[in-house]
Amino acid sequence: MSENKNQFVLPGDTISGSYEPAQNVILDDNRLLSTAIGFCEINDNEANVYPLTGFYIPRSDDLVIGKIKSHTSMVWEVDINSYHVGILPAFDIFGKDYNPSKHDLSSKLNIGDLVAVRIVSGDTARDPLVTISGENLGKIDSGELVKISSAKISYLISKHGSMIQTIESSTDTSITIGQNCLIVLKSDSGSNLDKIIKIFKMLDSTTDDSNMDEKIQKILDENNREILKIKNNMLYLLM
């Protein structure tokens, strides 16, 4: 198989090339085999298969969107769309002077709150440690939560942010992509949100990424024509 990104594979399909097996790929008698239905992608000499369905597998340094599930006196448990829960230590927010007898975790993050966190350690044998220390991390106060397949998350990220920047600038919307298949959209316009959700649904429902940029641009152009029409109507009424 060539190094083309986002090539559709089935369990047992051979991945040709001298790569290190990574996510959903095994080495069997000197052959790389896919263990999932999804899209193969070569990153830094590693062969990954991003499944069409299934739970997220935590990996160190991944940015993910999570929901506060519960808390003890020392940590929050974060639902990160995985078989594991993310563990967010209290001192990550309160600092080294955290004292369970003086501080109330629910005063900072409560059950049901959305957060943007980064995976500190992605050991699949245990629940991963997460942090909100970093740029653009922390509690998400508002926004529309959208879920998309991991293969399509890979597609969006592999565009080096250019596609997301195009969508954001064309719709005046803020988009936060979690590598755990969750996306948060923020916009003052309900119609813009509808357009973006339409884009993600279209992206998620197709297994062929060819001409995807053109398909997305077509939806954005329709949105821009509608905005221009509204502006022209407003100018006409003011005349």
Side-chain angles (χ1 to χ4, degrees):
M1 188 176 68
S2 69
E3 290 193 24
N4 291 336
K5 294 183 176 181
N6 300 308
Q7 183 164 347
F8 185 70
V9 293
L10 297 171
D13 280 356
T14 300
I15 301 171
S16 62
S18 300
Y19 307 115
E20 293 294 325
Q23 182 176 339
N24 297 309
V25 178
I26 61 172
L27 183 63
D28 180 35
D29 194 22
N30 295 322
R31 294 186 305 157
L32 291 174
L33 301 179
S34 168
T35 61
I37 300 174
F39 290 87
C40 178
E41 185 170 310
I42 307 302
N43 291 314
D44 298 326
N45 205 43
E46 289 186 341
N48 295 271
V49 172
Y50 297 98
L52 289 177
T53 60
F55 285 102
Y56 162 71
I57 299 175
R59 292 169 296 185
S60 299
D61 205 40
D62 275 2
L63 171 67
V64 300
I65 306 298
K67 181 180 290 187
I68 301 299
K69 183 178 179 181
S70 63
H71 68 77
T72 67
S73 61
M74 300 299 294
V75 301
W76 287 273
E77 291 188 337
V78 188
D79 182 351
I80 55 172
N81 189 37
S82 174
Y83 290 109
H84 300 277
V85 295
I87 303 300
L88 177 62
F91 63 77
D92 199 73
I93 292 180
F94 289 99
K96 295 181 180 179
D97 296 330
Y98 171 69
N99 186 330
S101 64
K102 294 181 180 179
H103 299 103
D104 179 13
L105 269 67
S106 62
S107 67
K108 296 294 185 180
L109 293 172
N110 218 334
I111 294 174
D113 285 347
L114 286 179
V115 288
V117 299
R118 195 168 292 280
I119 304 291
V120 176
S121 59
D123 185 351
T124 56
R126 65 185 69 186
D127 293 334
L129 186 68
V130 301
T131 181
I132 63 169
S133 297
E135 187 177 0
N136 300 321
L137 300 180
K139 183 178 178 181
I140 300 173
D141 293 318
S142 61
E144 185 82 14
L145 186 64
V146 176
K147 187 175 181 179
I148 193 170
S149 70
S150 59
K152 298 309 178 178
I153 288 289
S154 171
Y155 168 80
L156 291 171
I157 294 174
S158 70
K159 302 296 289 184
H160 303 293
S162 60
M163 178 54 65
I164 294 301
Q165 291 173 7
T166 298
I167 296 173
E168 285 181 323
S169 61
S170 297
T171 59
D172 194 24
T173 300
S174 171
I175 302 175
T176 303
I177 295 181
Q179 288 167 276
N180 60 332
C181 310
L182 299 177
I183 301 172
V184 174
L185 311 174
K186 293 183 182 180
S187 176
D188 293 331
S189 169
S191 60
N192 283 344
L193 280 178
D194 290 342
K195 290 290 182 183
I196 299 175
I197 292 173
K198 179 180 178 181
I199 287 173
F200 286 133
K201 284 184 176 179
M202 180 269 294
L203 181 64
D204 207 27
S205 63
T206 180
T207 58
D208 181 12
D209 286 339
S210 61
N211 301 320
M212 185 58 68
D213 289 5
E214 290 81 357
K215 294 174 184 176
I216 292 175
Q217 191 61 55
K218 182 178 178 180
I219 296 176
L220 293 175
D221 289 342
E222 291 174 357
N223 184 61
N224 291 335
R225 284 195 294 270
E226 289 178 8
I227 292 174
L228 181 60
K229 183 178 179 180
I230 292 172
K231 288 181 177 179
N232 288 336
N233 288 338
M234 291 178 64
L235 288 172
Y236 177 77
L237 293 173
L238 291 173
M239 292 176 61

